[in-house]
Amino acid sequence: MCAGIVAALAFTQPIIAQPRLGGVSGVVKDSGGGALGNVEVMVMRTGRTVRTDSAGHFMLASVPAGHTDIGFRRVAFEPVIVSMEVPTDDT
């Protein structure tokens, strides 16, 4: 049985000296609202990957500005891809 993954995303402050990069952070939860730890979170365009902590939090730095897809994967859960716009100079 596969469960769904729900991701709450937020943009972080721009990275200084890299005006075309930003960051994405958020919390990953299951369909019942419970936090999910050890979820692989990946910027699909660059392959940059982090994992959520035990409370479901993650932070991806150095995300290219513009349209990007963020993938979420964990064993026993259906993978999810979220499309978003990371603004130039204002993430």
Side-chain angles (χ1 to χ4, degrees):
M1 182 170 135
C2 290
I5 295 176
V6 178
L9 303 173
F11 298 112
T12 60
Q13 295 298 318
I15 296 174
I16 297 172
Q18 298 291 335
R20 299 196 51 85
L21 297 177
V24 177
S25 63
V27 179
V28 179
K29 298 181 178 186
D30 63 20
S31 57
L36 284 176
N38 203 34
V39 174
E40 179 182 90
V41 182
M42 179 171 48
V43 179
M44 305 302 284
R45 185 166 45 165
T46 65
R48 174 146 165 71
T49 303
V50 298
R51 291 201 177 266
T52 59
D53 64 16
S54 61
H57 295 109
F58 70 92
M59 170 59 187
L60 280 163
S62 301
V63 177
H67 180 81
T68 195
D69 293 327
I70 307 291
F72 299 86
R73 290 191 324 181
R74 183 174 180 217
V75 174
F77 287 84
E78 188 72 29
V80 172
I81 296 176
V82 176
S83 295
M84 66 176 54
E85 289 292 323
V86 177
T88 302
D89 296 327
D90 184 23
T91 59

